[in-house]
Amino acid sequence: MVLGYDPKSLSIEFPLVEIEKAFDEVGECIFYRHIVPRSVWKFQEWLQIGEEKKMTKACKVFDQFLYSCIATKRQELNECNKSSGDDLLSAIMMMGEEKGKMVHDDKFLRDAVFNLFVAGRDPITSALTWFFWLVATHPLVEAKILEEIKKVFGAIDGEKRKILVKEDVRKLVYLHGAICESLRLYPAVPIERKQSLKCDTLPSGHRVNPNTIILFFTYAMGRFEEIWGKDCLEFKPERWISEKGGTIRVPSYKFFSFNAGPRTCMGKDLSFIQMKMVASTILRNYHIQVVENHPTTPAHSTVLFMKHGLKVMITKREF
Ligand code: HEM
């Protein structure tokens, strides 16, 4: 989606993809920087030891990969009369085009693509993992999702469409509720960090000094009884559905999983479309059963991964 490049990481042999590994290592190092004093990681960075050595190496691998993708894409776009690809890199390159010339330099494109990679890859992975786990462990929810999917797929006149498209998934109100509910309990970004540039007063009345780091816990906010009611710990997609059967719009300062205000996630709508397409296609075709006694604890990370992944058995469903 970002680069128009498939690393084949989902091949049946689950190959170790070097750039995926490098990207994971960058994530680990960023988390490390949040838990040790700044002076410690800065010193390690200077000496090039420990996590910081890993960070430098991983960034190099990742940069080499990104620059080679940019070069290939540039060539493709020049050769194909500027109409190649519906990926985000092509879109950014074309946006920066003036009088037939691409104006964005490689460094700009590298930064833009890196940003989209950081923002877009892991949150979707995390969100879908917790979602499938919750659905697999709540058979009533699974049954309701299937009923809805059946209705929507059934309505596609005689067409044997295998994957629901953007317009179809908008009709999946219950699935939308289940995904919101899953993101409320397991927000992909469990901790948010902000830092004040100058003296300020928060809406709560607290004064903050310049350079104060403020951390807030979306994971906890999604589970506050004062905000979500007595059943705050239950997985209830119905919470998001109005009496008339439509989606209840919840203010983003309450449902904080995509951040709120000027720095709201730019991929929010895209994420819902993507997650609903993936979820409806998989659930329509397969029944998912979590492997017995498989531990499902969150990992210590900037993104809420499952520490041991999610081990499941899948069986083909006859629809
Ligand atoms: C379930 C999926 C996703 C979740 C839960 C999510 C959540 C978030 C959150 C919480 C932030 C704010 C981070 C911060 O300021 O500390 C954010 C920012 C952002 N997200 Fe997402 N995200 C998701 C998917 C995506 C996707 C697929 C894209 C694009 C391909 C994307 C693009 C962005 C961008 C560009 C920002 C930075 C916005 C800014 O700072 O102005 N996100 N996201």
Side-chain angles (χ1 to χ4, degrees):
M1 189 174 80
V2 175
L3 297 166
Y5 168 84
D6 180 3
K8 306 267 185 297
S9 50
L10 292 179
S11 314
I12 204 79
E13 320 82 47
F14 285 119
L16 184 74
V17 179
E18 205 193 0
I19 42 143
E20 298 268 344
K21 186 169 157 268
F23 195 75
D24 291 343
E25 283 175 354
V26 172
E28 284 162 24
C29 298
I30 291 172
F31 182 71
Y32 177 77
R33 285 183 179 184
H34 279 80
I35 52 174
V36 295
R38 186 179 159 83
S39 54
V40 171
W41 71 257
K42 276 279 175 197
F43 194 50
Q44 289 189 330
E45 187 187 27
W46 185 62
L47 290 175
Q48 277 301 296
I49 55 169
E51 289 295 300
E52 291 301 320
K53 185 178 173 190
K54 205 164 89 179
M55 175 79 138
T56 309
K57 213 173 131 206
C59 284
K60 215 166 147 188
V61 171
F62 203 67
D63 274 356
Q64 268 170 4
F65 164 71
L66 288 184
Y67 282 124
S68 85
C69 286
I70 291 167
T72 313
K73 185 62 69 185
R74 237 184 237 292
Q75 204 178 344
E76 274 174 22
L77 286 173
N78 282 328
E79 281 167 10
C80 303
N81 215 8
K82 313 201 168 20
S83 61
S84 141
D86 46 12
D87 50 273
L88 293 170
L89 175 58
S90 302
I92 299 169
M93 281 176 151
M94 301 308 289
M95 268 188 326
E97 196 195 23
E98 258 174 30
K99 293 186 192 130
K101 278 187 99 184
M102 284 174 246
V103 292
H104 290 319
D105 64 16
D106 284 4
K107 169 78 171 57
F108 175 91
L109 293 170
R110 179 261 173 218
D111 290 350
V113 167
F114 185 76
N115 186 24
L116 287 171
F117 240 93
V118 175
R121 188 194 80 143
D122 290 344
I124 294 260
T125 312
S126 152
L128 282 173
T129 310
W130 291 104
F131 167 81
F132 282 121
W133 173 65
L134 283 166
V135 171
T137 49
H138 292 78
L140 269 179
V141 172
E142 185 193 14
K144 285 187 189 176
I145 293 176
L146 282 176
E147 197 185 330
E148 186 180 61
I149 293 175
K150 218 170 180 175
K151 230 184 337 187
V152 174
F153 265 104
I156 300 170
D157 291 330
E159 209 180 321
K160 293 267 178 290
R161 196 182 283 170
K162 289 198 174 72
I163 298 174
L164 290 183
V165 295
K166 199 172 72 186
E167 291 71 31
D168 304 324
V169 295
R170 286 197 203 287
K171 298 174 199 151
L172 297 170
V173 176
Y174 191 83
L175 179 63
H176 186 90
I179 292 175
C180 290
E181 187 67 346
S182 167
L183 278 165
R184 174 182 73 83
L185 289 166
Y186 296 97
V189 183
I191 304 171
E192 288 265 0
R193 175 201 155 121
K194 299 282 173 257
Q195 191 162 346
S196 56
L197 285 175
K198 47 187 186 185
C199 266
D200 203 354
T201 307
L202 299 180
S204 60
H206 291 89
R207 294 276 303 154
V208 287
N209 293 325
N211 296 321
T212 305
I213 294 173
I214 303 170
L215 295 175
F216 40 98
F217 294 85
T218 20
Y219 185 88
M221 286 166 73
R223 290 155 184 256
F224 269 178
E225 197 176 314
E226 295 83 357
I227 301 175
W228 297 99
K230 285 227 170 304
D231 57 0
C232 58
L233 297 181
E234 288 173 39
F235 176 57
K236 275 172 81 171
E238 289 75 11
R239 201 188 299 279
W240 301 83
I241 298 164
S242 70
E243 276 175 17
K244 286 186 177 159
T247 298
I248 295 179
R249 304 268 162 223
V250 176
S252 44
Y253 282 98
K254 176 178 174 186
F255 175 48
F256 208 75
S257 302
F258 290 92
N259 209 354
R263 306 312 294 256
T264 298
C265 170
M266 290 204 275
K268 185 173 178 180
D269 291 345
L270 175 69
S271 302
F272 273 111
I273 294 171
Q274 210 181 336
M275 286 190 288
K276 283 196 263 181
M277 283 169 79
V278 173
S280 60
T281 307
I282 292 185
L283 290 175
R284 178 179 189 245
N285 288 292
Y286 300 99
H287 168 69
I288 295 176
Q289 194 186 347
V290 180
V291 169
E292 218 175 312
N293 299 325
H294 178 66
T296 41
T297 38
H300 294 140
S301 159
T302 45
V303 174
L304 195 71
F305 291 121
M306 267 188 194
K307 193 172 176 182
H308 306 283
L310 178 62
K311 274 198 184 157
V312 295
M313 304 277 289
I314 54 169
T315 22
K316 185 97 184 87
R317 220 191 273 282
E318 291 304 324
F319 221 74

Coordinates of all heavy atoms in Angstrom, one line a residue, residues 24 34 51 133 155 200 211 219 274 282 291:
D24 N 11.3 -3.7 12.9 CA 10.9 -4.1 14.3 C 12.0 -3.6 15.3 O 11.7 -3.2 16.4 CB 10.8 -5.6 14.4 CG 9.5 -6.1 13.6 OD1 8.7 -5.2 13.3 OD2 9.4 -7.3 13.3
H34 N 12.3 5.4 25.6 CA 11.3 6.0 26.5 C 11.4 5.5 28.0 O 10.8 6.0 28.9 CB 9.9 5.6 26.0 CG 9.4 6.5 24.9 ND1 9.8 6.3 23.6 CD2 8.5 7.5 25.0 CE1 9.2 7.2 22.9 NE2 8.4 8.0 23.7
E51 N 21.5 -0.9 22.6 CA 20.4 -0.7 21.7 C 20.6 0.3 20.6 O 20.1 0.3 19.5 CB 19.2 -0.2 22.5 CG 18.6 -1.2 23.5 CD 17.9 -2.4 22.7 OE1 17.0 -2.2 21.9 OE2 18.4 -3.5 22.9
W133 N -8.7 -12.2 18.2 CA -8.7 -12.9 19.4 C -10.1 -12.7 20.2 O -10.7 -13.6 20.6 CB -7.6 -12.4 20.3 CG -7.6 -13.0 21.7 CD1 -7.5 -14.3 22.1 CD2 -7.9 -12.3 22.9 NE1 -7.6 -14.4 23.4 CE2 -7.9 -13.2 24.0 CE3 -8.1 -10.9 23.2 CZ2 -8.1 -12.9 25.3 CZ3 -8.3 -10.6 24.6 CH2 -8.2 -11.5 25.6
A155 N -26.5 -9.6 -0.7 CA -27.1 -8.5 -1.5 C -26.4 -8.1 -2.8 O -26.8 -7.4 -3.5 CB -27.3 -7.3 -0.6
D200 N 2.5 26.4 30.0 CA 1.1 26.3 29.6 C 0.2 25.8 30.8 O 0.7 25.4 31.8 CB 1.0 25.3 28.4 CG -0.2 25.5 27.6 OD1 -1.1 26.4 28.0 OD2 -0.4 24.8 26.6
N211 N 9.2 22.0 28.1 CA 9.9 20.7 28.0 C 9.3 19.6 28.9 O 10.0 18.6 29.1 CB 11.4 20.8 28.2 CG 12.0 21.6 27.1 OD1 11.6 21.6 26.0 ND2 13.0 22.5 27.5
Y219 N -4.8 3.1 26.9 CA -5.2 1.8 27.3 C -6.1 1.9 28.5 O -7.1 1.3 28.6 CB -3.9 0.9 27.6 CG -4.2 -0.5 28.0 CD1 -4.3 -1.5 27.0 CD2 -4.4 -0.9 29.3 CE1 -4.6 -2.8 27.4 CE2 -4.7 -2.2 29.7 CZ -4.8 -3.2 28.7 OH -5.0 -4.5 29.0
Q274 N -9.8 -0.7 5.5 CA -8.9 -1.8 5.4 C -9.2 -3.0 6.4 O -9.3 -4.1 6.0 CB -7.5 -1.3 5.7 CG -6.4 -2.0 5.0 CD -5.0 -1.4 5.3 OE1 -5.0 -0.2 5.8 NE2 -4.0 -2.2 5.2
I282 N -11.8 -12.7 5.9 CA -11.3 -13.8 6.7 C -12.5 -14.5 7.4 O -12.6 -15.8 7.4 CB -10.2 -13.4 7.7 CG1 -9.0 -13.0 6.8 CG2 -9.8 -14.5 8.6 CD1 -7.8 -12.7 7.6
V291 N -5.6 -21.4 20.0 CA -5.0 -22.6 20.5 C -5.1 -22.6 22.0 O -4.8 -21.6 22.7 CB -3.5 -22.7 20.1 CG1 -2.7 -23.8 20.8 CG2 -3.4 -22.9 18.6

